[in-house]
Amino acid sequence: MRVSYKWLKELVDIKDVSYEQLTSDFNAHIVEIDALSKLTEGTNIIVAKVLECVDHPDSDHLHITKVDTGSDVLQVVCGAPNVKAGQKVMLALPGAVLPGGTIKKGVIRGVESNGMICSLQEVNLDSKYIPEEYKNGIYVLSEDAPLGVNALEYLGLDDDIIELGLTPNRMDLLSMYGVANDVAAYYGTEVYKENSNLVESNKKTSEEVSVKIDTPNCLSYNARVIKNVTIKESPEFIKTRLMASGIRCINNVVDITNYILVLFGQPLHAFDQDKLGNSIVVRNAFENEKIVTLDDIERTLQPTDVVITNGQEIGCIGGVMGCSNTEVTNDTKNIVLEAAVFNLLSVRKTSARLGLRSESSVRFERGVDLNQTVDALNYAAYLLQRYADGTVLKDVVHEGVEKIDDKVIELSLQDVKKYLGIEIEKETFERILTNLGFGLDEFEENNYNVIVPNRRMDISIKADLIEELARMHGYDNLKMTLPAMQHVGELTVAQKRINLIRTTLSTLGLNEVVTYALVSKDYNQRFTTLHKPNQEEIELMHPMSEERSVLRKGLIPSILDVACYNSARKLTDLALFEIGSRYYKEQDSTKEEVVLSGLFSGKFNGNNWQGGRETVDFYLVKGIIENLVDHLGIQVKYQKMTNVDKDLHPGRCAEIKFQNEVVGYISALHPACQHDLDLQDTYVFEIVLTKILNSKSTITKFQSLVKKPTVVRDLALVMEKDVPVGDLIEAIQRTSKDCISKVEVFDLYESVQLGSKKSVAISIYFESDDNLTDEVISSKVNKILEMAESKYKATLRA
Amino acid sequence: MADLEMMLQSAQEEIKACSNQNELNEKKAYYLGKKSPLNDIMKQMATLSIEEKKELGQKVNAFKTKIEELISLRRTEIEQEKILEKLRNETIDVTMPGKVLQTGSIHPLNKVINELNSIFLGMGYNVAEGPEVEIDKYNFEMLNVPVGHPARDMQDSFYITEDTLLRTQTSSVQVRTLLEAKGKPIKIVCPGRVYRRDDDDATHSHQFMQIEGLVVDENITLSDLKGTLQLVVEKMFGSDRKIRFRPSFFPFTEPSVEVDVSCFKCGGKGCPICKKSGWIEILGAGMVHPNVLEMAGYDSTKMRGFAFGIGVERVTMLRYGIDDIRNFYTDDIRFLNQFKKGE
């Protein structure tokens, strides 16, 4: 809602309030201000008369004018094509500050110029308000404009615009009277109603028009007939006030309906009576009924739409837009003026479906105060009588609800204290509510029935009234206390684990990323290792784009996007992770699983000058996962994956098992995929965390330290290349569970001589408080060798 | 006798000239060993008187002791030189870069969520969670936003079916928490991702994060809300920050307020960051609407509550001076690496 400051000052007594104070109070007590602007800008611009106008001898478009300022005659060079002797114009004197700069005395192609004759563009008036004939030239004022006065002030264009950021509840602030009411309530002053002096003719409206409502979606319909109107320009005050309100002027009849809309918040519609006829029937549209609206577009209607008809033809889509067939044109003589109230949901549906959001529909959608509909209609009739020379027929033809009763809400001083935590004095309480126009009935000491007029449709319960008191009293008056509660806060085990994962991985050198959950469909077709066949994709009904049309079933494609983005910027050394959800449908219920995914690419760790930077490889990624698993205090198993996704490297891919279930994998990208994405050596991992996060958490159990020194035996074992060393290590450990504390691989050797075999060097750590004599150790080593030979065909390297 | 004197002098010079332990050992062997020139002197012993023998014996012994001393002294000197040389050789340029183990970073949005969580945990709140794919009933209806309500305009949503959608606000967790608590007091915050049909630009993102707060008990007041938020703002933005409430509207709170924090750049005098107002809008809040409480089975005449919703991106952008929301989802590592510092 754009509020004209000048108009507001006419409607409410705020002469003692500065503009700055007013706008600050709007924000603090009424509603947020979205923007402050000026209708026009420019200083030192006066009304002047062009006395003579001759062509500039040295230019094909400039004119030399002599201009009368009322006190002086100045020579001014003017480039406008439409400047002529005899015009009253806006003259910016030397020293005037315009949006385009400061006007100075000067010489233009050898001719002295003492100012500038202005166009409306030059004072920053929005071009949509500028009449066609002045779009390419200076503005010409009416002949009776007095010389020497401030031109913008004379034209009423020196206005400030307060643009309110209306919240959906405050439908009452969609009118100047509504805004004036709240402003007056805050300052404790009066609202001035605009004067009306309607003189009706003897002929009754009902003789010319009848109204019938055939739909529950029209609550009230009021009509007046105005005969013999003259279609012409509106008076200046209507034009400037409409401009300030953001509405373009058309002609006096249309402008007056818009003026009423802004002043009362009541949309009106004017029909050409000679085109509409004499009977009005309001009904629901038929299925697929077609009409052409004012904007010359054919519309297809539905039964949820309300239409105003003459019994046969549709003249208007109720509350939304009129039709060309009954439009008021320059030839219109007689008018039927409609002031109706429609069901807000019905208007909302219609305007949304047809994509027609107008000043009218916006107001109907939020609710129009039915109790002032007739007042608005009568004032419109008065304005048409006065500014369109019309004759207004007697009485209003009315159908539907006449009046909506005021609401009564019980409220006590105690209620207010309970809600706000501060006491509001009885006197303040009564003053605020009375100023807001609410009636008060103190039926018991400090207990009131508050009577709320219909125009405040947003108020229906106690809490609404308490809000009125709080905002008018001022939120700055609240105390600052903390809730008096006995509550202990704690993170859950799963939440702590998420934090731990985040800290661990970021400490180990990974950057956490956050990516979008909405992806394109082809993303869900890739990296599907963890998808199960019965997990269906979740798709949006109306996506904004193909790119963001489904919820992701995995995070890897999004993380690859991040890698590609960075890599394209020569940031090729990447270690990334994300904790996010994957989404799917399973037997018609939606599932969200927390997933940890990551990516390594390029080089990792260390500095360059010592040659410490290593190219990422499978074992780096696995090592970091092993670190993480250690920190989480869980056990997982890694094993070669058999059914490998097409984008993964079949030889460098391990699945991760937790509690005997595959929960994730680590893998190199398939070289083809890597090549397509233009990435260096890249590894990814993905782990579904649900089960891990919710697994039982145990407290570390201290084990007493072994007092005897550790005995280490190194073995070099030769075996076929495809023997999984991880299994062998576990098997070694199992041979003497009680005293082998650690088995470490310290070398892996392959060579031509070894052929299909590899040599693995292993350190075995024996730790025990029993006496580990050479014989004991030797027998344990022998047991290991026997096991290695029989199970893995691994032999001691010669 | 003069021989001994002379011998001592030359020995002294020779020992001094030794530059390593081997040479010293040779000198020791020469002067004190079996082929020592002393032997020639000792051979004279037989011809001397007892007195003279005694004197010569003493001198020879003194000579030997002296030689031993000189050698041991030189030995220590050589060792020290060796250490000094080792130290000289081992001297490095300590200004060369260290062997840094790679460290990563926590995403700034999660850093801020962690920070806020810890503030609220300290005040006795629990951290609640809820699904992102939500039913309409919890996202709208039970938050006092029935079908056709104009407030649905404010948050055009991503629907999946007629009655499920991507939650537009973490307030949906309010409903779930209220239903679960079955009339009991509540004190939670709920961080999470939410979705709205916005085109992505510098200030809008179709996916973003919120932290919802909800406190319900018998004596909760709007002043409690103000005190709580003042504390949070002080911890997030500095102890000299102030907050103010302005009238606003949310269907699920009444009264509803918009909360501003005094500008951290200018301190309230007015600057480009706060658009000359001295204040920056950071969150929306209010007293839980009685309808919301009643729909979840609470007696709204006995229990009241407050709720607030913090836009995590907004707070993060303000806290770190980030000017484009897309930075959070583009994940340029130059951006991410700026957030390594612990706070």
Side-chain angles (χ1 to χ4, degrees), chain B residues 102-129:
Chain B
Q102 179 161 335
T103 54
S105 57
I106 292 177
H107 195 279
L109 293 175
N110 286 323
K111 276 185 91 159
V112 165
I113 287 178
N114 283 347
E115 183 85 22
L116 285 165
N117 278 351
S118 80
I119 294 169
F120 284 110
L121 282 164
M123 292 197 284
Y125 288 68
N126 280 316
V127 179
E129 282 152 11

Side-chain angles (χ1 to χ4, degrees), chain A residues 229-232 251-258 270 328 335 384 388:
Chain A
V229 294
T230 313
I231 307 291
K232 56 184 177 185
N251 59 45
N252 53 351
V253 174
V254 177
D255 291 353
I256 285 168
T257 60
N258 282 332
V328 173
I335 284 169
L384 285 169

Side-chain angles (χ1 to χ4, degrees), chain A residues 456-669:
Chain A
R456 290 303 305 273
M457 276 174 269
D458 58 319
I459 290 174
S460 55
I461 58 169
K462 251 180 209 181
D464 296 329
L465 288 173
I466 292 167
E467 178 172 60
E468 295 297 291
L469 286 159
R471 74 178 170 98
M472 284 292 170
H473 185 52
Y475 287 117
D476 289 349
N477 290 319
L478 287 176
K479 286 197 291 202
M480 295 208 226
T481 50
L482 289 178
M485 285 174 86
Q486 309 278 323
H487 227 261
V488 178
E490 197 196 9
L491 291 178
T492 63
V493 172
Q495 287 165 346
K496 283 182 195 162
R497 281 180 171 151
I498 292 270
N499 284 350
L500 182 67
I501 293 171
R502 215 170 245 138
T503 322
T504 305
L505 291 182
S506 62
T507 311
L508 287 173
L510 285 78
N511 290 116
E512 187 187 18
V513 300
V514 176
T515 58
Y516 296 132
L518 286 169
V519 295
S520 74
K521 284 189 170 182
D522 55 302
Y523 276 44
N524 278 346
Q525 307 301 319
R526 309 186 65 188
F527 299 94
T528 58
T529 305
L530 299 176
H531 305 186
K532 302 218 169 85
N534 54 341
Q535 298 174 344
E536 284 168 61
E537 171 174 272
I538 298 176
E539 190 176 352
L540 296 183
M541 282 171 82
H542 308 291
M544 289 173 76
S545 68
E546 203 42 55
E547 248 190 309
R548 312 254 169 255
S549 57
V550 292
L551 281 166
R552 61 180 174 190
K553 288 169 83 179
L555 275 55
I556 301 278
S558 313
I559 296 183
L560 278 173
D561 278 351
V562 174
C564 291
Y565 167 90
N566 280 290
S567 159
R569 282 156 188 78
K570 304 269 181 277
L571 306 163
T572 49
D573 300 335
L574 301 168
L576 310 171
F577 78 99
E578 176 168 14
I579 302 169
S581 289
R582 64 184 285 259
Y583 314 78
Y584 56 86
K585 229 173 6 193
E586 202 173 48
Q587 289 157 0
D588 278 341
S589 71
T590 56
K591 293 272 159 57
E592 295 174 34
E593 279 180 339
V594 186
V595 176
L596 165 67
S597 292
L599 173 146
F600 289 78
S601 190
K603 298 257 192 304
F604 189 81
N605 225 349
N607 51 30
N608 263 329
W609 65 274
Q610 286 182 312
R613 292 171 68 64
E614 53 178 307
T615 304
V616 299
D617 66 7
F618 182 86
Y619 298 111
L620 169 75
V621 185
K622 189 180 174 191
I624 282 176
I625 300 294
E626 282 172 328
N627 270 325
L628 178 66
V629 161
D630 266 1
H631 281 208
L632 287 169
I634 56 167
Q635 258 101 45
V636 302
K637 279 193 178 156
Y638 306 87
Q639 85 199 23
K640 192 171 160 55
M641 201 186 285
T642 43
N643 210 349
V644 177
D645 188 274
K646 68 173 171 46
D647 287 319
L648 301 179
H649 190 310
R652 298 184 170 184
C653 184
E655 56 190 24
I656 302 171
K657 277 179 138 180
F658 174 69
Q659 294 177 351
N660 285 324
E661 191 188 309
V662 176
V663 293
Y665 65 93
I666 306 170
S667 178
L669 283 191

